[in-house]
């Protein structure tokens, strides 16, 4: 069911997709169940923060004993499962809070990678301006129909149908008229393996994103596309892509056993490859495959563990690039 929102053709999402972290990647801050529904107070370094909502606004107050200031927060980036950050418009700039909420600790801490030391002034503790280039990158992965001028009033919050499938007006018109809609909308499931992985990696960090930025070490565990392309499974099975295991229209399964059937679909003594070689089942276990072959690694500044998508016989020692 499709309709127009702020001049953009968009579709009513399946109930399951509305529950995904992608659909909740951006929201008006009043809809956040973290800061929009209850007062929150916490201290970071020399600064005390309090966030409260009334019938209209969500207001952040920052004080350090010698002064205080308040701003009205407008947008929440992130579903809050891993984290959530907060943004508001100040003059012509978008501003971001110096802190993030982190789901695993149900609390707040300095935003990772933003500061090498605690803020030295009240003004700095309130927030930082986001450049247009950075804001555009953030919005294109957290929202749909992002205009070139980054006008937030025109943005559709969260990842909806057209964010992945492209403009849908012609597709909808064909469906309504009974015409053949084939070819009128993008279906990422039909992309070749490398293109499909890069498609998801455009927001979840592709091989080239990591390679060109020169990132190395354990931080790359947050780049599942990059890590997946390093794995022997991806290189040997040209049908393996992100959507082999993850349905973007369903919330991500967090029970590791949910992925056993996917692993055993190939690693099964009844399956033969074109090389006529059998792919045997694991000799250690027939369940919880990913717990050994896709271990989780903790990033302290994120207060969370991330699954390593480099599928392999993983060493029990530290992370391996």
């Amino acid at each position: 069911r499709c309709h127009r929102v702020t001049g953009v053709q968009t579709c009513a999402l399946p109930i399951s997709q509305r529950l995904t972290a992608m659909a909740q990647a951006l929201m008006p801050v009043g809809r956040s169940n973290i800061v929009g529904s209850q007062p929150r107070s916490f201290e970071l370094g020399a600064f005390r923060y309090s966030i409260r909502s009334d019938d209209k606004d969500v207001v952040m107050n920052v004080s350090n004993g010698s002064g205080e200031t308040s701003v009205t927060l407008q947008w929440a980036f992130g579903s809050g499962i891993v984290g959530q950050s907060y943004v508001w418009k100040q003059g012509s700039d978008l501003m971001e809070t110096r802190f993030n909420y982190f789901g695993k600790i149900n609390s707040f801490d300095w935003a990772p990678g933003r500061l090498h030391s605690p803020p030295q002034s009240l003004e700095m503790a309130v927030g930082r301006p986001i450049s247009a280039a950075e804001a555009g990158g953030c919005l294109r992965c957290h929202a749909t129909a992002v205009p070139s001028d980054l006008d937030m009033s025109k943005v559709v919050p969260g990842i909806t149908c057209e964010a992945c499938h492209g403009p849908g007006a012609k597709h909808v018109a064909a469906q309504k008229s009974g015409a053949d809609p084939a070819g009128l909308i993008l279906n990422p499931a039909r992309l070749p393996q490398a293109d499909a992985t890069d498609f998801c990696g455009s927001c979840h960090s592709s091989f080239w994103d990591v390679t060109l930025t020169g990132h190395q070490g354990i931080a790359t565990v947050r780049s599942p596309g990059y890590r997946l392309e390093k794995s022997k499974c991806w290189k040997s099975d040209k049908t393996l892509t992100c959507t082999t295991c993850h349905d973007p229209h369903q919330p991500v399964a967090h029970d590791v056993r949910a992925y056993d059937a996917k692993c055993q679909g190939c690693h099964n003594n009844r399956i033969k490859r074109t090389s006529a070689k059998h792919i045997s089942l694991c000799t250690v276990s027939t369940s919880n495959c990913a717990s050994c072959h896709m271990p989780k690694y903790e990033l302290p500044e994120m207060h969370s563990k991330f699954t390593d998508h480099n599928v392999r016989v993983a060493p029990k020692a530290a992370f391996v690039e």
Side-chain angles (χ1 to χ4, degrees):
R1 187 167 61 86
C2 298
H3 55 282
R4 298 188 74 82
V5 177
T6 60
V8 178
Q9 182 77 35
T10 188
C11 296
L13 301 178
I15 292 176
S16 61
Q17 202 279 341
R18 296 179 201 176
L19 300 177
T20 66
M22 290 198 304
Q24 301 171 54
L26 174 67
M27 65 190 79
V29 73
R31 284 180 46 201
S32 166
N33 60 9
I34 297 162
V35 298
S37 59
Q38 57 184 319
R40 304 295 295 246
S41 297
F42 53 95
E43 293 184 3
L44 293 174
F47 302 94
R48 179 171 180 79
Y49 295 85
S50 65
I51 304 173
R52 66 184 189 281
S53 60
D54 55 28
D55 292 337
K56 182 180 179 182
D57 296 319
V58 176
V59 178
M60 176 184 72
N61 181 269
V62 187
S63 61
N64 64 352
S66 59
E68 63 179 298
T69 188
S70 297
V71 297
T72 299
L73 304 178
Q74 295 175 298
W75 298 93
F77 278 72
S79 66
I81 296 174
V82 173
Q84 194 171 75
S85 59
Y86 308 98
V87 169
W88 70 98
K89 192 74 177 286
Q90 183 171 294
S92 59
D93 292 327
L94 280 176
M95 302 289 293
E96 180 191 38
T97 54
R98 288 291 185 183
F99 59 83
N100 285 180
Y101 168 83
F102 295 95
K104 294 297 183 183
I105 61 173
N106 187 27
S107 189
F108 300 82
D109 201 352
W110 299 121
R114 303 302 192 204
L115 286 171
H116 296 294
S117 62
Q120 302 301 308
S121 67
L122 184 61
E123 180 182 10
M124 183 182 287
V126 172
R128 69 177 188 98
I130 310 173
S131 70
E134 183 183 357
C138 295
L139 287 169
R140 280 186 283 273
C141 288
H142 284 261
T144 305
V146 179
S148 57
D149 63 358
L150 307 182
D151 183 345
M152 295 295 289
S153 67
K154 299 177 182 177
V155 167
V156 177
I159 300 302
T160 66
C161 305
E162 291 186 339
C164 294
H165 295 285
K170 292 181 180 179
H171 171 79
V172 173
Q175 290 278 19
K176 288 182 176 179
S177 67
D180 183 5
L184 297 179
I185 198 167
L186 173 67
N187 185 350
R190 298 190 180 121
L191 293 172
Q193 182 192 36
D195 292 343
T197 308
D198 285 347
F199 183 89
C200 297
S202 64
C203 285
H204 295 280
S205 293
S206 70
F207 178 89
W208 286 110
D209 288 328
V210 176
T211 301
L212 293 173
T213 56
H215 292 165
Q216 293 181 329
I218 196 170
T220 63
V221 75
R222 290 187 63 197
S223 304
Y226 167 77
R227 297 298 294 173
L228 179 64
E229 290 193 29
K230 292 174 72 70
S231 69
K232 186 176 180 179
C233 285
W234 189 87
K235 294 173 182 176
S236 63
D237 183 352
K238 298 306 178 184
T239 67
L240 177 61
T241 66
C242 307
T243 55
T244 301
C245 296
H246 300 295
D247 182 347
H249 307 105
Q250 300 284 343
V252 172
H254 294 284
D255 183 347
V256 70
R257 293 170 297 181
Y259 301 98
D260 287 347
K262 299 294 184 181
C263 299
Q264 294 171 16
C266 288
H267 294 272
N268 184 316
N269 285 326
R270 295 187 301 274
I271 301 295
K272 288 186 177 181
R273 295 307 192 94
T274 55
S275 63
K277 292 182 178 179
H278 292 279
I279 301 177
S280 299
L281 283 171
C282 177
T283 59
V284 176
S285 177
T286 58
S287 63
N288 297 319
C289 307
S291 63
C292 286
H293 299 286
M294 300 176 67
K296 292 179 179 290
Y297 294 96
E298 184 169 5
L299 299 182
E301 66 176 6
M302 294 295 299
H303 300 287
S304 188
K305 291 183 177 181
F306 294 84
T307 298
D308 187 358
H309 284 70
N310 182 0
V311 188
R312 67 200 189 284
V313 178
K316 294 183 179 181
F319 177 85
V320 175
E321 178 65 31

